[in-house]
Structures are given as C-alpha cells and as structure tokens.
Amino acid sequence: MKKYILLILLAIFINSCEVDGPPLPGDWKIMIVNSTNHDLRIDIERYSEGCPIEQIHLFSHDTIVRQCELFDTSIDLAHVPFNGLISLVVEDSLSYLCSGNDSLSLQMFATLDNYVPILNGPDFYLFRYEITEEDYEYAKAHPYKLEEE
C-alpha cells in the first residue's frame, strides 16, 4: 500500500513540472468517469468551420478513455483533452459550457490541468477526471443558454 501511495505522489510531482517546448512524445489519453446518477453527453464543437458537433455519451457510472488531441497555439503545440468548445449536457436537457470560462475549476474536464495523472510517461500518459454530483449541481445552477439573435 505504501508503494502505491508513493507511486501516486511521484506521478503528481512529475506532472507538476512544466516543460518548455513541444509536447512530450508518446501516447496521451484521458479517462473521464461519470460518478453521477445522470446520463451525460459531452458535445465538442470544433474550431474549424463545417465540422459537425461530436457527441460522446457517458452513461451513469460509466467511464470512457480517449486520445488527447493536439492544439496549435500558433506558438507551440499542446496536448488537450478536446480541441473545440466543450459542453456538458445532462439528461439531454441541461447544458453547461465548460470551455471559455476564465476559471480553471469551472472548465471541468475541458482542460488537462483539472485531471489527475495516473500514468506519466515516458511513452504513455493517462489522466483521469471524475464528473461528480457537485459538477452536476454547479452545471444545473449555471446552465448555458444560446444567445438569441
């Protein structure tokens, strides 16, 4: 048990070190866990025009694992969970816009900084985010409404 805790602490320490330059090579994946009693959907609206909205269904107490994406900041490339505008949709009715928020904590799973590192290289990186009832309650209190024209 002590070895497991030390390994987790080491992974967190290593992940906290910032690296200048291009993103580290290797296989970068994210894991999103839905620990709520609600069926969720993640909508990804790509930055490039003409791309359909990608929808990822995440049922109650389910988990998905997917590849990180690369985002071109025009200065550098960076690994990101999703490349686009990200919304959390609950029970096909409530929508919360995760990306575009200034506060890191309000972006939920839209930014890699909010994930817990599980494996941290050098060839494989895995980060985990758990959607909790607190996330659901926050989204419910701050729904995203499209601006009317």
Side-chain angles (χ1 to χ4, degrees):
M1 181 67 174
K2 289 181 184 177
K3 288 181 182 179
Y4 181 71
I5 292 172
L6 288 173
L7 186 60
I8 290 175
L9 290 174
L10 180 63
I12 291 170
F13 173 75
I14 290 170
N15 187 54
S16 66
C17 300
E18 291 187 23
V19 177
D20 292 331
L24 296 173
D27 193 12
W28 287 65
K29 294 194 185 268
I30 57 169
M31 173 190 304
I32 301 177
V33 178
N34 178 2
S35 67
T36 73
N37 293 321
H38 307 280
D39 290 341
L40 306 175
R41 188 179 76 228
I42 299 170
D43 286 353
I44 307 161
E45 186 176 341
R46 302 288 175 190
Y47 291 123
S48 55
E49 291 184 35
C51 288
I53 294 177
E54 180 182 352
Q55 296 182 335
I56 301 168
H57 295 274
L58 189 56
F59 300 104
S60 176
H61 302 285
D62 198 5
T63 299
I64 62 163
V65 176
R66 64 180 274 130
Q67 195 72 32
C68 280
E69 300 179 17
L70 284 175
F71 178 69
D72 186 355
T73 64
S74 71
I75 299 172
D76 217 343
L77 287 175
H79 290 286
V80 294
F82 307 97
N83 192 3
L85 292 174
I86 313 305
S87 297
L88 174 65
V89 181
V90 181
E91 306 285 345
D92 288 326
S93 59
L94 170 69
S95 182
Y96 174 75
L97 183 64
C98 298
S99 54
N101 288 309
D102 293 332
S103 172
L104 194 63
S105 62
L106 302 181
Q107 293 181 24
M108 295 183 189
F109 51 85
T111 181
L112 205 52
D113 292 336
N114 289 338
Y115 286 70
V116 174
I118 303 299
L119 295 171
N120 206 1
D123 298 319
F124 186 74
Y125 299 84
L126 177 63
F127 301 89
R128 181 181 188 272
Y129 185 89
E130 182 176 354
I131 300 173
T132 63
E133 285 295 328
E134 289 81 19
D135 291 329
Y136 164 71
E137 290 298 329
Y138 188 86
K140 189 167 80 171
H142 302 88
Y144 175 65
K145 296 179 181 140
L146 292 174
E147 294 181 23
E148 299 191 23
E149 298 180 38

